Amino acid sequence: DASTATIITGATAVIQTAGDDAHGLFAQSIGGGGGSGAGTGGLIAVGGTGAAAGGGARVGITNRGSVTTGGDRSHAMFAQSIGGGGGAGGFSIAGSVAAGQTAGGASVSLGGLGGSGGDASTVRVESDGNIRTEGDRARGITAQSIGGGGGNGGWSGSIQVAAGQTAGGA
């Protein structure tokens, strides 16, 4: 899991930014993504399960001072906790070959499960100070808690080859 992110400014703090996408106070915690499951092959094959993702931790901003941003998309205070995305399931491929007078073949293939997404945590923003934004699409306060998405399931395929007088496959 990710670490906690905290920013605290005192009453005499003065923070100013001038460029585009230049936030005044920015605190973020992002959980790591889950690893992918292993691929497999054989007569009966099951792909590996993707690993679960890490969670985003608590995020907090406390502003007692003055925050001013001048550029476009430059938020005065931005706090975010994001859970990581789950790992992808592993692929699998199965196959069989049969030959003879009454040849028949069978194989089973199942793709691996996707890993679960990570949880996000609490986001808290408070301000007793002055906040000013001057650019387009520049918000005073943005606070987000976003859970991670689960991983994709793995693909699977199966192939049978049979040759003979009464060949068949399942």
Side-chain angles (χ1 to χ4, degrees):
D1 287 345
S3 296
T4 300
T6 304
I7 297 174
I8 300 172
T9 64
T12 59
V14 176
I15 298 168
Q16 294 179 316
T17 67
D20 291 345
D21 302 302
H23 306 307
L25 298 172
F26 184 94
Q28 186 177 57
S29 177
I30 302 175
S36 296
T40 61
L43 182 62
I44 298 176
V46 178
T49 298
R58 287 188 313 254
V59 174
I61 298 177
T62 302
N63 175 50
R64 304 285 182 241
S66 173
V67 180
T68 302
T69 63
D72 293 346
R73 299 170 308 279
S74 298
H75 311 312
M77 299 170 62
F78 187 96
Q80 190 175 59
S81 176
I82 303 174
F91 73 88
S92 71
I93 188 161
S96 65
V97 176
Q101 191 164 1
T102 57
S107 61
V108 177
S109 177
L110 298 171
L113 299 173
S116 61
D119 293 333
S121 191
T122 303
V123 175
R124 181 178 176 167
V125 177
E126 56 181 287
S127 180
D128 293 342
N130 296 318
I131 297 174
R132 180 178 174 178
T133 61
E134 298 173 358
D136 290 339
R137 296 175 307 283
R139 298 179 188 105
I141 297 174
T142 299
Q144 297 177 327
S145 180
I146 304 169
N152 294 327
W155 64 269
S156 69
S158 181
I159 300 170
Q160 296 84 38
V161 177
Q165 197 170 20
T166 56

